[in-house]
Amino acid sequence: MTLHAPYDPDNIFARILRGEIPSVKVWEDDHVLAFMDVFPQSEGHVLIVSRTSSARTLLDVEPDVLARLTAATQRTARAVVKALRPDGFQIMQFNGEAGGQTVFHLHFHIVPRWADRPLKGHGHAPMAEPATLRGLADRIAAAIE
Ligand code: AMP
């Protein structure tokens, strides 16, 4: 997928947003959805997507949508840190197949990091159990302010 292909309305995150396939939600409002990555690179890996935009990458996104996404990413990262007490965290955002992107609906990754735990590979991490993700999502959601 190049940086400039058209938006595919049947990409997996669009289908999650339409409720066609399940996700483990952390929180949502009319503009954004925060949900657990099913192939987490670390415990508590959360994804943030826009409900309203058809942006594939950072290049396409409307400035007001980007502002909402970054605010939602900060809000969720604060909750992740409060709930899970990592030593640090990473915000990741991949653009284009050559840039590591695998789902072409713009999103931000929040990846908590612990000093003694290695990061699992992007696109190579094992699938997590839904119950484990639900437990983490509930803890993070309880810390949302
Ligand atoms: P990217 O490679 O930046 O496009 O990130 C896509 C992310 O979506 C990866 O970290 C995948 O593990 C994650 N992912 C793929 N399918 C699902 C799904 N059905 N539910 C939640 N996360 C997913």
Side-chain angles (χ1 to χ4, degrees), residues 89-126:
F89 65 92
Q90 292 173 309
I91 303 300
M92 298 179 182
Q93 197 277 307
F94 301 85
N95 298 278
E97 195 168 5
Q101 187 174 11
T102 56
V103 179
F104 291 84
H105 178 110
L106 174 67
H107 54 279
F108 289 84
H109 299 252
I110 301 168
V111 182
R113 297 299 308 275
W114 287 265
D116 58 351
R117 299 189 207 171
L119 185 67
K120 292 177 186 153
H122 181 69
H124 304 290

Side-chain angles (χ1 to χ4, degrees), residues 39-118:
F39 303 103
Q41 292 186 248
S42 74
E43 186 177 55
H45 183 166
V46 182
L47 300 170
I48 311 291
V49 298
S50 168
R51 285 190 167 289
T52 59
S53 177
S54 297
R56 296 171 72 255
T57 74
L58 192 69
L59 300 178
D60 313 328
V61 67
E62 305 85 346
D64 59 321
V65 172
L66 181 60
R68 288 187 190 279
L69 281 171
T70 51
T73 300
Q74 182 193 48
R75 184 181 187 203
T76 309
R78 285 177 171 157
V80 166
V81 168
K82 195 171 164 190
L84 306 182
R85 298 282 170 203
D87 299 315
F89 65 92
Q90 292 173 309
I91 303 300
M92 298 179 182
Q93 197 277 307
F94 301 85
N95 298 278
E97 195 168 5
Q101 187 174 11
T102 56
V103 179
F104 291 84
H105 178 110
L106 174 67
H107 54 279
F108 289 84
H109 299 252
I110 301 168
V111 182
R113 297 299 308 275
W114 287 265
D116 58 351
R117 299 189 207 171

